[in-house]
């Protein structure tokens, strides 16, 4: 297969295009089944993306993909066919659009609902520079649940910048078509005769007295009312659809007509998630994002084990069975955060509000005020989208909302848009928040129980994607007590302070240092806000202090301990082994850790080098 295919598509006939679509699907299946990645949405978008490249030159008319996990076909068509086998691998191509990878990827996108806003900004630039072209926005229907979409549509409908918005309806949230009548009217609305009729009607009405326009106005309004696009029409954006998203010929015709209108147009297309791979066809959440799997059977190739997400799900369900005041919410990720079985069992108490993190948080603030015990279950990277609501609606009134932060720390293959590295820094600055973290599955259960029983103010606890570094059973799980840390191993001179998954890192380092004849103290910090008062004693009694957590060094656990030491007038050096300030790119976790220098070997080397450089004191050996 040639590397750059997009510019050849306009010369292809429909049979050649059908063959190309099958080749693209097969390539996606082969690579994703090996590497993991997003699957069902991107399989469903193949014909749409091919049709986009048929009608539009993406250099003059930049393609803006929302979330961009749907854009694998675009990558394959724009010079990355051979490189596609490195998808999501360390040093390979990203699972999302990324301008560093190709100038035909207009914008980086890992979070949803940004595309129309970006399109408005681009349309303004095109207008100001008086150049040809317009933004081509591709947005999934699930992304339409976020408020940013409607903020952008509100301005676009007023300004009337030329833009094509392709709304991919794959049975996730947008309204279904209204049978044969809707299809018939959609075909009418996409026809130039209809558009011409509407334009002529508006001009005619503008010249007539109000008394003569009633019937004409009613006809226009009635036509819109029986199409699914009334909302967008009322916002000032022309609507065409629904269109069969797997009929390339129909898509091409529709896109050409939309291009000729030179105004904001939304084309509503319908696709089947997982199209072409029968096992995954349909609105199945489990096929949205997958690990390596067997193509023939669809079975995962990863060894099954109990994840922190499953522990959270099972523990919260057990508590909810006993206390009907427990409620919970997630933002479009019920399976990902483990809330699915709670929504199934208690649909009146647990909710998926769609991609609306801000609403999720604020709605739970009201429930907390009413005496309920709300749990907000959101990935670390997505929780940051609700930062203002956490401060304004939860923090200021000190309401007991419990934040269960999944995917905290390094998440690996999803890359810089998904790494959960900010939550400690952005939450610990909020007055009144209690922040704590478990070190393994057993203490995660204790953390959930603590949040349920003892928190009368906002609290948050974090846990990693996949597995904790520390296996259960190495240390006995004890209850969380506010402001209390836990010594896991007593030693001398060297103090290893771990927080959350950082305890596992510190433990592995501790074992290696013991092999070198050293005797470190291993401390599970447990709380980072408020910090344990007993921490002062350990800081004073040890010479070399090292801090481990899966977060950025800036604003992280080391920063908190440094502030604590200053408040206690403790003047001595400490070494944070957290992550340096940078956006961490994608790759398998082991490779990313080695690159960042937070794998066990690198951490041990740093500690030994640091100790050897300290001429004032040498640590005692066992």
């Amino acid at each position: 297969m040639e590397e750059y295919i997009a510019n050849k598509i306009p010369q292809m006939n429909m049979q050649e295009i059908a063959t190309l679509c099958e080749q693209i699907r097969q390539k996606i299946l082969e690579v994703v089944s090996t590497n993991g990645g997003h699957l069902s949405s991107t399989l469903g978008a193949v014909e749409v993306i091919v049709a986009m490249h048929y009608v539009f030159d993406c250099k003059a008319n930049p393609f803006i993909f929302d979330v961009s996990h749907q854009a694998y076909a675009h990558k394959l068509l724009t010079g990355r066919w051979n490189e596609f086998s490195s998808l999501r691998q360390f040093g390979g191509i990203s699972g999302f659009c990324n301008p560093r990878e190709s100038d035909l990827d207009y914008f980086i996108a890992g979070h949803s609902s940004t595309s129309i806003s970006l399109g408005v900004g681009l349309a303004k630039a095109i207008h100001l520079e008086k150049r040809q072209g317009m933004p081509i926005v591709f947005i999934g229907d699930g992304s339409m649940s976020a408020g940013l979409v409607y903020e952008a549509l509100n301005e676009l409908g007023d300004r009337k910048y030329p833009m094509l918005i392709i709304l991919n309806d794959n049975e996730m949230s947008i309204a279904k078509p209204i049978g044969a009548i809707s299809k018939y009217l959609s075909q009418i609305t996409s026809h130039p005769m209809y558009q011409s009729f509407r334009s002529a009607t508006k001009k005619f009405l503008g010249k007539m007295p109000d008394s003569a326009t009633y019937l004409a106005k009613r006809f226009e309004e009635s036509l819109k009312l029986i199409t699914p696009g009334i909302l967008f029409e009322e916002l000032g954006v022309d609507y065409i659809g629904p269109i069969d998203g797997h009929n390339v010929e129909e898509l091409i015709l529709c896109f050409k007509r939309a291009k000729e209108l030179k105004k904001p147009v939304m084309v509503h297309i319908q696709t089947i998630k997982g199209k072409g791979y029968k096992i995954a066809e349909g609105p199945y959440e489990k096929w949205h994002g997958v690990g390596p799997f067997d193509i023939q059977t669809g079975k995962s190739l990863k060894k099954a084990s109990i994840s922190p997400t499953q522990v959270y799900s099972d523990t919260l369900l057990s508590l909810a069975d006993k206390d009907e005041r427990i409620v919970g919410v997630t933002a479009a990720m019920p399976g990902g955060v483990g809330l699915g079985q709670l929504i199934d069992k208690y649909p009146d108490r647990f909710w998926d509000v769609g991609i609306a993190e801000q609403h999720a948080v604020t709605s739970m603030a009201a429930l907390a005020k009413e005496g309920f015990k709300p749990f907000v279950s959101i990935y670390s990277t997505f929780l940051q989208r609700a930062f203002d609501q956490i401060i304004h609606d939860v923090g200021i009134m000190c309401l007991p909302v419990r934040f269960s932060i999944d995917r905290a720390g390094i998440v690996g293959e999803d890359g810089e848009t998904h790494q959960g590295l900010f939550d400690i820094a952005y939450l610990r600055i909020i007055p009144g928040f209690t922040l704590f973290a478990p070190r393994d599955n057993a203490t995660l259960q204790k953390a959930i129980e603590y949040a349920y029983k003892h928190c009368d103010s906002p609290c948050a606890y974090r846990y990693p994607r996949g597995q904790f570094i520390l296996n259960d059973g190495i240390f006995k799980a004890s209850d969380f007590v506010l402001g209390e840390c836990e010594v896991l191993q007593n030693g001398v001179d060297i103090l290893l302070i771990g927080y959350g998954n950082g305890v596992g890192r510190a433990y592995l380092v501790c074992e290696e240092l013991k092999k070198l004849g050293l005797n470190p103290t291993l401390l599970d910090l447990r709380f980072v806000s408020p910090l344990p008062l007993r921490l002062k004693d350990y800081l004073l009694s040890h010479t070399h202090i090292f801090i481990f957590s899966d977060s950025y060094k800036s604003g992280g656990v080391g920063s908190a301990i440094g502030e604590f030491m200053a408040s206690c007038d403790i003047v001595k050096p400490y070494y944070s082994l957290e992550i340096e300030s940078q956006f961490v790119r994608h790759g398998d976790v082991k490779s990313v850790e080695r690159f960042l220098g937070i794998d066990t070997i690198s951490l041990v080397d740093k500690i030994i080098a640091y100790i050897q450089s300290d001429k004032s004191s040498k640590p005692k050996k066992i």
Side-chain angles (χ1 to χ4, degrees), residues 23 107 129 208 322 341 404 421 426 490 533 553 563 619:
Q23 290 172 329
F107 221 85
E129 294 176 351
M208 297 294 291
K322 302 169 187 174
Q341 64 174 340
S404 306
L421 300 173
Y426 70 69
N490 280 301
L533 293 177
K553 184 179 293 186
E563 294 161 13

Side-chain angles (χ1 to χ4, degrees), residues 438-443 467-475 488 500-508 522 524:
R439 61 178 178 257
D440 54 19
N441 282 340
T443 53
Q467 297 294 323
F468 283 97
I469 295 171
L470 196 65
N471 294 326
D472 286 339
I474 294 178
F475 300 105
L488 303 178
N501 212 25
V503 177
R505 295 197 190 283
Y507 169 74
L508 295 178
L522 178 59
D524 181 352

Side-chain angles (χ1 to χ4, degrees), residues 32-35 291-295 297-304:
V32 175
S33 67
T34 302
N35 297 2
F293 64 94
D294 179 82
I295 293 179
T297 64
K299 292 182 178 179
S300 174
L301 298 178
K302 284 190 173 182
K303 185 179 179 181

Side-chain angles (χ1 to χ4, degrees), residues 357-424:
E357 293 86 358
Q358 295 169 288
H359 166 57
V361 170
T362 299
S363 66
M364 291 300 104
L367 279 159
K369 187 175 188 299
E370 291 297 319
F372 288 88
K373 298 176 180 180
F375 284 77
V376 175
S377 309
I378 297 179
Y379 292 1
S380 172
T381 184
F382 298 142
L383 185 61
Q384 63 204 31
R385 307 183 82 184
F387 182 55
D388 180 61
Q389 286 65 39
I390 296 170
I391 294 174
H392 184 273
D393 302 325
V394 175
I396 292 175
M397 291 180 63
C398 204
L399 293 168
V401 177
R402 296 130 174 105
F403 292 90
S404 306
I405 306 175
D406 204 328
R407 269 63 165 178
I410 301 295
V411 299
E413 290 85 354
D414 283 334
E416 54 263 70
T417 60
H418 280 58
Q419 310 288 8
L421 300 173
F422 289 101
D423 57 270
I424 292 175

Side-chain angles (χ1 to χ4, degrees), residues 97 99 107 167 216 233 253 264 430 571 593:
C97 287
F107 221 85
L167 173 58
E233 293 274 2
L253 181 63
I430 304 174
V571 182
E593 288 175 342

Side-chain angles (χ1 to χ4, degrees), residues 138-442:
F138 188 103
I139 183 168
D141 61 322
S143 296
M144 300 298 289
S145 57
L148 181 60
V149 166
Y150 300 96
E151 294 175 28
L153 284 172
N154 183 54
E155 183 180 18
L156 178 62
D158 178 55
R159 299 284 184 175
K160 303 295 185 185
Y161 295 116
M163 184 191 302
L164 171 59
I165 302 169
I166 301 166
L167 173 58
N168 181 19
D169 172 2
N170 53 26
E171 300 183 55
M172 291 301 287
S173 66
I174 203 71
K176 301 295 184 290
I178 311 168
I181 294 176
S182 176
K183 184 175 182 181
Y184 173 68
L185 287 172
S186 297
Q187 290 171 346
I188 290 176
T189 59
S190 68
H191 199 280
M193 184 183 296
Y194 172 76
Q195 297 296 335
S196 178
F197 167 76
R198 288 189 63 188
S199 179
T201 300
K202 287 178 181 178
K203 289 180 181 178
F204 175 73
L205 293 177
K207 297 177 181 178
M208 297 294 291
D210 289 344
S211 59
T213 63
Y214 176 76
L215 289 177
K217 285 182 178 178
R218 290 294 304 223
F219 173 75
E220 171 78 1
E221 290 169 1
S222 297
L223 191 60
K224 289 194 296 182
L225 279 169
I226 53 177
T227 66
I230 183 172
L231 171 63
F232 309 113
E233 293 274 2
E234 291 300 314
L235 285 170
V237 177
D238 281 24
Y239 172 89
I240 299 172
I243 301 294
D244 181 355
H246 302 297
N247 185 327
V248 177
E249 197 166 2
E250 187 176 355
L251 288 167
I252 289 171
L253 181 63
C254 182
F255 291 168
K256 283 181 176 179
R257 289 171 178 169
K259 183 180 182 181
E260 292 166 0
L261 293 176
K262 300 188 183 304
K263 56 183 175 179
V265 181
M266 176 171 287
V267 174
H268 176 181
I269 62 169
Q270 291 182 301
T271 62
I272 299 171
K273 294 191 78 170
K275 175 70 174 177
Y277 183 50
K278 290 294 183 184
I279 299 173
E281 284 188 359
Y284 303 119
E285 186 181 358
K286 74 172 190 175
W287 287 105
H288 174 76
V290 297
F293 64 94
D294 179 82
I295 293 179
Q296 299 303 317
T297 64
K299 292 182 178 179
S300 174
L301 298 178
K302 284 190 173 182
K303 185 179 179 181
S305 54
I306 299 176
S307 67
T309 302
Q310 188 62 52
V311 172
Y312 170 69
S313 180
D314 292 344
T315 305
L316 187 59
L317 180 60
S318 176
L319 293 172
D321 287 339
K322 302 169 187 174
D323 189 345
E324 62 184 14
R325 306 294 287 176
I326 292 178
V327 295
V329 72
T330 185
M333 300 296 290
V337 298
L339 220 59
Q341 64 174 340
L342 288 102
I343 292 172
D344 290 342
K345 188 170 184 179
Y346 298 114
D348 291 335
R349 290 165 52 194
F350 293 87
W351 304 274
D352 175 8
V353 297
I355 303 173
E357 293 86 358
Q358 295 169 288
H359 166 57
V361 170
T362 299
S363 66
M364 291 300 104
L367 279 159
K369 187 175 188 299
E370 291 297 319
F372 288 88
K373 298 176 180 180
F375 284 77
V376 175
S377 309
I378 297 179
Y379 292 1
S380 172
T381 184
F382 298 142
L383 185 61
Q384 63 204 31
R385 307 183 82 184
F387 182 55
D388 180 61
Q389 286 65 39
I390 296 170
I391 294 174
H392 184 273
D393 302 325
V394 175
I396 292 175
M397 291 180 63
C398 204
L399 293 168
V401 177
R402 296 130 174 105
F403 292 90
S404 306
I405 306 175
D406 204 328
R407 269 63 165 178
I410 301 295
V411 299
E413 290 85 354
D414 283 334
E416 54 263 70
T417 60
H418 280 58
Q419 310 288 8
L421 300 173
F422 289 101
D423 57 270
I424 292 175
Y426 70 69
L427 289 176
R428 78 175 188 86
I429 62 173
I430 304 174
F433 254 78
T434 299
L435 304 184
F436 53 106
R439 61 178 178 257
D440 54 19
N441 282 340

Side-chain angles (χ1 to χ4, degrees), residues 31-32 35-36 72 75 83-89 93-95:
V31 172
V32 175
N35 297 2
Y72 288 3
K75 288 175 178 281
E83 194 183 359
F84 194 69
S85 59
S86 69
L87 180 73
R88 291 162 44 93
Q89 302 300 292
I93 65 173
S94 170

